[in-house]
PDB file of all heavy atoms in Angstrom:
ATOM      1  N   TRP A 618     -27.075  80.378  31.667  1.00 92.00           N
ATOM      2  CA  TRP A 618     -25.660  80.313  31.623  1.00 92.00           C
ATOM      3  C   TRP A 618     -25.169  78.873  31.568  1.00 92.00           C
ATOM      4  O   TRP A 618     -24.030  78.702  31.109  1.00 92.00           O
ATOM      5  CB  TRP A 618     -25.105  80.968  32.928  1.00 92.00           C
ATOM      6  CG  TRP A 618     -25.192  82.461  32.905  1.00 92.00           C
ATOM      7  CD1 TRP A 618     -25.547  83.243  31.867  1.00 92.00           C
ATOM      8  CD2 TRP A 618     -24.736  83.240  34.001  1.00 92.00           C
ATOM      9  NE1 TRP A 618     -25.568  84.617  32.323  1.00 92.00           N
ATOM     10  CE2 TRP A 618     -24.987  84.723  33.567  1.00 92.00           C
ATOM     11  CE3 TRP A 618     -24.188  83.140  35.261  1.00 92.00           C
ATOM     12  CZ2 TRP A 618     -24.714  85.758  34.337  1.00 92.00           C
ATOM     13  CZ3 TRP A 618     -23.916  84.230  36.029  1.00 92.00           C
ATOM     14  CH2 TRP A 618     -24.145  85.531  35.546  1.00 92.00           C
ATOM     15  N   LEU A 619     -25.935  77.957  32.052  1.00 92.00           N
ATOM     16  CA  LEU A 619     -25.464  76.541  32.233  1.00 92.00           C
ATOM     17  C   LEU A 619     -26.010  75.684  31.036  1.00 92.00           C
ATOM     18  O   LEU A 619     -27.191  75.873  30.647  1.00 92.00           O
ATOM     19  CB  LEU A 619     -25.991  75.886  33.525  1.00 92.00           C
ATOM     20  CG  LEU A 619     -25.456  76.622  34.767  1.00 92.00           C
ATOM     21  CD1 LEU A 619     -26.035  75.964  35.994  1.00 92.00           C
ATOM     22  CD2 LEU A 619     -23.928  76.708  34.923  1.00 92.00           C
ATOM     23  N   ILE A 620     -25.200  74.652  30.657  1.00 88.00           N
ATOM     24  CA  ILE A 620     -25.721  73.695  29.746  1.00 88.00           C
ATOM     25  C   ILE A 620     -26.185  72.472  30.626  1.00 88.00           C
ATOM     26  O   ILE A 620     -25.442  71.955  31.403  1.00 88.00           O
ATOM     27  CB  ILE A 620     -24.539  73.213  28.735  1.00 88.00           C
ATOM     28  CG1 ILE A 620     -24.097  74.369  27.903  1.00 88.00           C
ATOM     29  CG2 ILE A 620     -25.115  71.995  27.882  1.00 88.00           C
ATOM     30  CD1 ILE A 620     -22.945  73.981  27.035  1.00 88.00           C
ATOM     31  N   GLU A 621     -27.436  72.107  30.426  1.00 89.00           N
ATOM     32  CA  GLU A 621     -27.990  71.080  31.267  1.00 89.00           C
ATOM     33  C   GLU A 621     -28.466  69.906  30.459  1.00 89.00           C
ATOM     34  O   GLU A 621     -28.668  70.052  29.183  1.00 89.00           O
ATOM     35  CB  GLU A 621     -29.241  71.736  32.013  1.00 89.00           C
ATOM     36  CG  GLU A 621     -28.916  72.859  32.865  1.00 89.00           C
ATOM     37  CD  GLU A 621     -30.101  73.368  33.580  1.00 89.00           C
ATOM     38  OE1 GLU A 621     -30.614  72.614  34.458  1.00 89.00           O
ATOM     39  OE2 GLU A 621     -30.541  74.515  33.354  1.00 89.00           O
ATOM     40  N   LEU A 622     -28.726  68.769  31.149  1.00 86.00           N
ATOM     41  CA  LEU A 622     -29.207  67.595  30.539  1.00 86.00           C
ATOM     42  C   LEU A 622     -30.586  67.824  30.003  1.00 86.00           C
ATOM     43  O   LEU A 622     -30.973  67.309  28.944  1.00 86.00           O
ATOM     44  CB  LEU A 622     -29.277  66.392  31.503  1.00 86.00           C
ATOM     45  CG  LEU A 622     -27.951  65.755  31.965  1.00 86.00           C
ATOM     46  CD1 LEU A 622     -28.220  64.783  33.108  1.00 86.00           C
ATOM     47  CD2 LEU A 622     -27.286  65.078  30.775  1.00 86.00           C
ATOM     48  N   ASN A 623     -31.398  68.578  30.658  1.00 88.00           N
ATOM     49  CA  ASN A 623     -32.773  68.916  30.260  1.00 88.00           C
ATOM     50  C   ASN A 623     -33.061  70.297  30.411  1.00 88.00           C
ATOM     51  O   ASN A 623     -33.115  70.831  31.563  1.00 88.00           O
ATOM     52  CB  ASN A 623     -33.686  67.984  31.017  1.00 88.00           C
ATOM     53  CG  ASN A 623     -35.175  68.106  30.489  1.00 88.00           C
ATOM     54  OD1 ASN A 623     -35.484  68.932  29.707  1.00 88.00           O
ATOM     55  ND2 ASN A 623     -35.991  67.302  31.106  1.00 88.00           N
ATOM     56  N   GLU A 624     -33.189  71.086  29.413  1.00 89.00           N
ATOM     57  CA  GLU A 624     -33.440  72.630  29.507  1.00 89.00           C
ATOM     58  C   GLU A 624     -34.956  72.956  29.665  1.00 89.00           C
ATOM     59  O   GLU A 624     -35.320  74.050  29.775  1.00 89.00           O
ATOM     60  CB  GLU A 624     -32.818  73.226  28.259  1.00 89.00           C
ATOM     61  CG  GLU A 624     -31.411  73.122  28.043  1.00 89.00           C
ATOM     62  CD  GLU A 624     -30.610  74.042  29.086  1.00 89.00           C
ATOM     63  OE1 GLU A 624     -31.236  74.710  29.847  1.00 89.00           O
ATOM     64  OE2 GLU A 624     -29.351  73.889  28.974  1.00 89.00           O
ATOM     65  N   SER A 625     -35.847  71.819  29.732  1.00 92.00           N
ATOM     66  CA  SER A 625     -37.270  72.141  29.688  1.00 92.00           C
ATOM     67  C   SER A 625     -37.832  71.906  31.053  1.00 92.00           C
ATOM     68  O   SER A 625     -39.118  72.099  31.209  1.00 92.00           O
ATOM     69  CB  SER A 625     -37.886  71.245  28.647  1.00 92.00           C
ATOM     70  OG  SER A 625     -37.785  69.841  29.040  1.00 92.00           O
ATOM     71  N   ASN A 626     -37.028  71.610  32.049  1.00 94.00           N
ATOM     72  CA  ASN A 626     -37.699  71.337  33.397  1.00 94.00           C
ATOM     73  C   ASN A 626     -37.082  72.306  34.526  1.00 94.00           C
ATOM     74  O   ASN A 626     -37.132  71.952  35.595  1.00 94.00           O
ATOM     75  CB  ASN A 626     -37.365  69.929  33.840  1.00 94.00           C
ATOM     76  CG  ASN A 626     -35.863  69.602  34.056  1.00 94.00           C
ATOM     77  OD1 ASN A 626     -35.086  70.491  33.690  1.00 94.00           O
ATOM     78  ND2 ASN A 626     -35.492  68.501  34.576  1.00 94.00           N
ATOM     79  N   ASN A 627     -36.737  73.566  33.996  1.00 96.00           N
ATOM     80  CA  ASN A 627     -36.136  74.468  34.920  1.00 96.00           C
ATOM     81  C   ASN A 627     -37.107  75.240  35.785  1.00 96.00           C
ATOM     82  O   ASN A 627     -36.725  75.897  36.747  1.00 96.00           O
ATOM     83  CB  ASN A 627     -35.193  75.479  34.140  1.00 96.00           C
ATOM     84  CG  ASN A 627     -33.907  74.790  33.698  1.00 96.00           C
ATOM     85  OD1 ASN A 627     -33.804  73.598  33.747  1.00 96.00           O
ATOM     86  ND2 ASN A 627     -32.983  75.650  33.280  1.00 96.00           N
ATOM     87  N   CYS A 628     -38.413  75.327  35.251  1.00 96.00           N
ATOM     88  CA  CYS A 628     -39.415  76.270  35.983  1.00 96.00           C
ATOM     89  C   CYS A 628     -40.434  75.483  36.684  1.00 96.00           C
ATOM     90  O   CYS A 628     -40.745  74.339  36.372  1.00 96.00           O
ATOM     91  CB  CYS A 628     -40.060  77.153  34.822  1.00 96.00           C
ATOM     92  SG  CYS A 628     -38.796  78.285  34.104  1.00 96.00           S
ATOM     93  N   ARG A 629     -41.042  76.230  37.759  1.00 97.00           N
ATOM     94  CA  ARG A 629     -42.139  75.722  38.425  1.00 97.00           C
ATOM     95  C   ARG A 629     -43.178  76.906  38.559  1.00 97.00           C
ATOM     96  O   ARG A 629     -42.840  77.909  38.891  1.00 97.00           O
ATOM     97  CB  ARG A 629     -41.716  75.186  39.745  1.00 97.00           C
ATOM     98  CG  ARG A 629     -42.899  74.579  40.554  1.00 97.00           C
ATOM     99  CD  ARG A 629     -42.404  74.039  41.934  1.00 97.00           C
ATOM    100  NE  ARG A 629     -43.420  73.344  42.643  1.00 97.00           N
ATOM    101  CZ  ARG A 629     -43.644  72.138  42.656  1.00 97.00           C
ATOM    102  NH1 ARG A 629     -42.833  71.319  41.925  1.00 97.00           N
ATOM    103  NH2 ARG A 629     -44.654  71.583  43.420  1.00 97.00           N
ATOM    104  N   GLU A 630     -44.440  76.567  38.231  1.00 95.00           N
ATOM    105  CA  GLU A 630     -45.487  77.601  38.280  1.00 95.00           C
ATOM    106  C   GLU A 630     -46.605  77.134  39.139  1.00 95.00           C
ATOM    107  O   GLU A 630     -47.024  75.987  39.052  1.00 95.00           O
ATOM    108  CB  GLU A 630     -45.947  77.831  36.860  1.00 95.00           C
ATOM    109  CG  GLU A 630     -47.055  78.965  36.747  1.00 95.00           C
ATOM    110  CD  GLU A 630     -47.322  79.262  35.334  1.00 95.00           C
ATOM    111  OE1 GLU A 630     -46.492  79.752  34.483  1.00 95.00           O
ATOM    112  OE2 GLU A 630     -48.495  78.948  34.880  1.00 95.00           O
ATOM    113  N   GLU A 631     -47.207  78.161  40.081  1.00 95.00           N
ATOM    114  CA  GLU A 631     -48.236  77.756  40.992  1.00 95.00           C
ATOM    115  C   GLU A 631     -49.154  78.963  40.969  1.00 95.00           C
ATOM    116  O   GLU A 631     -48.828  80.160  40.791  1.00 95.00           O
ATOM    117  CB  GLU A 631     -47.753  77.403  42.297  1.00 95.00           C
ATOM    118  CG  GLU A 631     -47.007  76.190  42.409  1.00 95.00           C
ATOM    119  CD  GLU A 631     -46.456  75.815  43.850  1.00 95.00           C
ATOM    120  OE1 GLU A 631     -46.922  76.576  44.868  1.00 95.00           O
ATOM    121  OE2 GLU A 631     -45.777  74.779  43.986  1.00 95.00           O
ATOM    122  N   ILE A 632     -50.499  78.592  41.275  1.00 95.00           N
ATOM    123  CA  ILE A 632     -51.428  79.713  41.528  1.00 95.00           C
ATOM    124  C   ILE A 632     -51.781  79.773  42.975  1.00 95.00           C
ATOM    125  O   ILE A 632     -52.205  78.836  43.600  1.00 95.00           O
ATOM    126  CB  ILE A 632     -52.832  79.422  40.689  1.00 95.00           C
ATOM    127  CG1 ILE A 632     -52.485  79.380  39.188  1.00 95.00           C
ATOM    128  CG2 ILE A 632     -53.855  80.472  41.075  1.00 95.00           C
ATOM    129  CD1 ILE A 632     -53.728  79.011  38.360  1.00 95.00           C
ATOM    130  N   TRP A 633     -51.522  80.961  43.480  1.00 94.00           N
ATOM    131  CA  TRP A 633     -51.676  81.204  45.019  1.00 94.00           C
ATOM    132  C   TRP A 633     -52.958  81.997  45.223  1.00 94.00           C
ATOM    133  O   TRP A 633     -53.155  83.185  44.662  1.00 94.00           O
ATOM    134  CB  TRP A 633     -50.569  81.894  45.626  1.00 94.00           C
ATOM    135  CG  TRP A 633     -49.298  80.991  45.690  1.00 94.00           C
ATOM    136  CD1 TRP A 633     -49.179  79.730  45.438  1.00 94.00           C
ATOM    137  CD2 TRP A 633     -48.041  81.403  45.910  1.00 94.00           C
ATOM    138  NE1 TRP A 633     -47.989  79.221  45.548  1.00 94.00           N
ATOM    139  CE2 TRP A 633     -47.080  80.288  45.947  1.00 94.00           C
ATOM    140  CE3 TRP A 633     -47.370  82.699  46.370  1.00 94.00           C
ATOM    141  CZ2 TRP A 633     -45.798  80.397  46.178  1.00 94.00           C
ATOM    142  CZ3 TRP A 633     -46.060  82.714  46.626  1.00 94.00           C
ATOM    143  CH2 TRP A 633     -45.277  81.623  46.496  1.00 94.00           C
TER     144      TRP A 633
END
Side-chain angles (χ1 to χ4, degrees):
W618 284 2
L619 303 178
I620 298 174
E621 300 182 64
L622 286 174
N623 188 352
E624 298 286 0
S625 64
N626 65 349
N627 285 12
C628 297
R629 185 181 182 91
E630 185 175 292
E631 293 182 3
I632 299 175
W633 291 350

